[in-house]
Amino acid sequence: MSDVMFRELKIAIEKEQPVSIHTKDGDVVVGTPESCQIRAKVKLRNGEGIVYLPYEDLVHVMRLIAFPLKKQI
């Protein structure tokens, strides 16, 4: 896993932002990352529960940032 992906995960954990993770298997997993005691894995919480993904299986990490809607006057 690259330093950029690790940094994006760290920021997402701090800001409680969801991420989209592409794995070597071609899967795309979406969830909110959380601190994990297992050093070699990322912990993601999503609608299906908690998923642990090994860092070595990650191909791409993208933070999903929600922008607030403007109120119309």
Side-chain angles (χ1 to χ4, degrees):
M1 182 170 78
S2 73
D3 291 338
V4 175
M5 288 192 289
F6 187 76
R7 186 177 67 232
E8 289 298 311
L9 280 171
K10 187 175 177 183
I11 293 169
I13 290 170
E14 291 172 2
K15 297 186 177 197
E16 298 180 358
Q17 294 173 327
V19 294
S20 171
I21 296 178
H22 296 250
T23 66
K24 287 181 180 177
D25 298 338
D27 293 335
V28 177
V29 184
V30 178
T32 305
E34 297 179 355
S35 296
C36 182
Q37 299 300 325
I38 306 170
R39 293 211 181 263
K41 295 185 180 187
V42 61
K43 177 182 176 182
L44 274 184
R45 182 178 301 272
N46 58 24
E48 298 173 7
I50 296 175
V51 178
Y52 291 90
L53 299 170
Y55 287 141
E56 63 192 31
D57 290 348
L58 307 185
V59 175
H60 184 76
V61 175
M62 178 174 52
R63 284 189 293 140
L64 305 175
I65 303 170
F67 290 99
L69 296 175
K70 268 188 172 178
K71 291 185 179 179
Q72 300 217 356
I73 302 175

